[in-house]
Amino acid sequence: MKTIRLRDGKERSLQRRHPWIFESAIASGGADAGETVRVESHAGQFLAWAAYSPTSKIRARAWSFNPEQRIDAAFFVASVGHAVSARALFGIQSDGLRLVHGESDGLPGLIVDRYGDTLVAQFLSCGVERWKSVLIDALLAATGLTQLYERSDANSRELEGLPSVTGWLRGGEHDGAATATDITLREHGWNLSLSIADGHKTGFYLDQRDSRKRFAEWVKQIGAQQVLNCFCYTGGFTVAALAGGASEVTSIDSSGPALERAKANVALNGFAPERATWLDADVNASLRQFRDQGCQFDAIVLDPPKFAPTVAHADRAARAYKDINRLALGLLRQGGVLFTYSCSGGINADLFHKIVAGAGIDAGVDGYICERLGAAPDHPMTVNFPEGEYLKGLVVVKK
Ligand code: SAH
């Protein structure tokens, strides 16, 4: 067993069971990609078993803090089983759910979503890449499913020195025909179709499930008629607004294929196409155009992509968030509701609140912060891994 020794004083975060070991914390030692190493303090005290990543700044990720734990196939079978059975406790009512959420489930770098009878996995660290075949078998055994598609094409693979790979790992063919990569989910009684092959991430933003429901409820509650859905992707919030009774929903995204899918999703739920307007455009430009035309809305969603992947990007990202929030608050009617989000790991909930407050001041607008929202419970954060809180949302009613 290879050993990594930390620099003096660098053992504290592992002692608090935080799973990351940065390159800068290591005094000596190394291993092959994904190999299990024993991590010890400068004084030689055992701290963790971890998977080594030779090229990543996060040089190792802890599997276990128990010196007696063997990191073998049985360990992964147990970890996957635990993650899958925990989901039954979270009260999720959808056939789309996240079964494994990386660090929060003790499996750093592994993301697994279930869409109906199909699993979609992302292997994003050297550790889970090395244990891939064991993990595949464990996932199929824990769920009783037979179809597993790989979407290991996220940017983080590059940081780990791993190539981008996508395609069926199991169950890619049935009776000589290719298994469909288009899937329709049932979420809150709505039909939402997605592509596991071409969609973002594993195909869908499952983390906004509860927010989509809240949005439909708010649209109904305030009787919102004109709704604006910015960064609409495949139209989840658009369907929610229509279900909530909005007469007209304008949805903006800069991705043509996402908009095509969004249109199909409106049709799939039986809503008249005249109730939906689609803009293949940049949200920043569209918000300014609406302002110049004097447009007003009763409800607005701002769910932008990650502006700040890390704290280093926080300053620039903060300005970008403030700008779109300022514009959106200006377009809201009095009594209208704004659902605004940041999914940036580099912006914490406090800072996001401050950014939205600053946007209000600049817009000359005050609002009631009625709710704070986060990712759905199948994207858990844990006590030991606060970085798990990536998605933050505020529900603001304009005064
Ligand atoms: N709310 C969506 C998820 C949004 S993901 C849901 O519930 O499913 C963010 C979306 O923003 C992506 O679809 C991406 O194509 C789009 N996007 C990124 N930058 C954009 C820009 N400047 N203008 C418009 N859309 C943008």
Side-chain angles (χ1 to χ4, degrees):
M1 178 63 62
K2 294 181 183 159
T3 294
I4 283 181
R5 179 165 291 204
L6 300 190
R7 292 182 195 281
D8 200 13
K10 292 292 182 188
E11 65 283 354
R12 292 203 190 96
S13 74
L14 281 173
Q15 282 166 342
R16 286 198 303 267
R17 303 197 158 216
H18 187 285
W20 291 349
I21 300 136
F22 286 93
E23 175 199 5
S24 54
I26 298 175
S28 64
D32 293 337
E35 200 176 346
T36 302
V37 291
R38 178 183 191 275
V39 185
E40 60 184 34
S41 69
H42 197 64
Q45 176 202 5
F46 171 87
L47 295 169
W49 302 112
Y52 194 73
S53 288
T55 66
S56 176
K57 272 199 175 147
I58 305 175
R59 193 51 58 94
R61 290 173 168 81
W63 294 128
S64 170
F65 302 95
N66 173 3
E68 311 301 325
Q69 180 66 55
R70 283 175 64 96
I71 307 303
D72 54 11
F75 169 79
F76 291 101
V77 169
S79 300
V80 166
H82 198 81
V84 170
S85 50
R87 269 44 189 185
L89 309 171
F90 296 161
I92 294 152
Q93 289 172 9
S94 169
D95 56 2
L97 76 163
R98 176 149 298 186
L99 293 179
V100 180
H101 189 57
E103 278 74 356
S104 301
D105 286 302
L107 293 165
L110 182 65
I111 299 295
V112 184
D113 290 336
R114 175 179 183 157
Y115 299 119
D117 291 337
T118 301
L119 298 178
V120 186
Q122 297 183 298
F123 297 87
L124 304 177
S125 66
C126 291
V128 291
E129 179 73 15
R130 187 156 175 133
W131 289 96
K132 194 186 262 183
S133 67
V134 167
L135 288 165
I136 294 168
D137 290 342
L139 285 162
L140 297 177
T143 55
L145 299 177
T146 56
Q147 292 166 197
L148 196 154
Y149 194 87
E150 176 170 22
R151 279 298 300 272
S152 299
D153 56 345
N155 293 340
S156 52
R157 287 268 297 188
E158 225 175 289
L159 303 177
E160 292 281 307
L162 298 166
S164 170
V165 210
T166 64
W168 288 104
L169 289 169
R170 296 284 191 281
E173 221 183 81
H174 282 292
D175 303 326
T179 308
T181 51
D182 268 29
I183 293 175
T184 299
L185 287 185
R186 289 286 290 172
E187 183 183 278
H188 314 310
W190 310 323
N191 299 309
L192 297 169
S193 77
L194 60 106
S195 165
I196 59 168
D198 305 318
H200 295 175
K201 307 202 291 182
T202 64
F204 192 65
Y205 290 86
L206 288 168
D207 51 1
Q208 290 285 32
R209 180 192 312 112
D210 295 355
S211 274
R212 285 187 284 265
K213 180 155 183 243
R214 280 312 278 145
F215 190 62
E217 289 164 353
W218 268 94
V219 165
K220 189 163 179 213
Q221 186 173 311
I222 64 169
Q225 293 304 304
Q226 271 85 41
V227 174
L228 177 62
N229 180 10
C230 300
F231 310 97
C232 69
Y233 187 49
T234 53
F237 281 101
T238 307
V239 168
L242 293 168
S247 51
E248 219 185 310
V249 185
T250 301
S251 308
I252 314 172
D253 204 282
S254 55
S255 156
L259 286 168
E260 285 311 309
R261 177 75 60 174
K263 269 182 222 176
N265 281 333
V266 164
L268 209 53
N269 289 279
F271 297 119
E274 311 82 73
R275 291 172 67 194
T277 303
W278 306 101
L279 293 178
D280 186 342
D282 170 45
V283 164
N284 304 277
S286 299
L287 290 175
R288 285 179 168 75
Q289 232 166 34
F290 289 139
R291 177 195 60 193
D292 297 344
Q293 293 164 351
C295 297
Q296 293 269 279
F297 297 91
D298 304 309
I300 301 179
V301 179
L302 281 183
D303 185 20
K306 208 187 290 174
F307 289 160
T310 69
V311 180
H313 305 83
D315 270 357
R316 211 176 61 198
R319 283 194 291 278
Y321 283 118
K322 188 173 166 187
D323 195 44
I324 54 172
N325 278 280
R326 176 179 59 83
L327 291 162
L329 285 166
L331 295 176
L332 211 54
R333 287 202 178 93
Q334 191 197 350
V337 69
L338 171 67
F339 273 52
T340 182
Y341 297 92
S342 162
C343 61
S344 294
I347 305 260
N348 65 26
D350 247 20
L351 178 56
F352 186 55
H353 188 153
K354 285 194 185 110
I355 292 168
V356 175
I361 289 167
D362 284 5
V365 164
D366 198 3
Y368 301 103
I369 294 186
C370 295
E371 289 181 37
R372 290 171 177 273
L373 302 170
D378 47 339
H379 300 60
M381 57 174 154
T382 64
V383 173
N384 298 334
F385 188 65
E387 282 88 342
E389 186 185 22
Y390 66 103
L391 182 61
K392 286 107 359 203
L394 292 173
V395 177
V396 183
V397 170
K398 187 163 172 176
K399 263 191 173 175

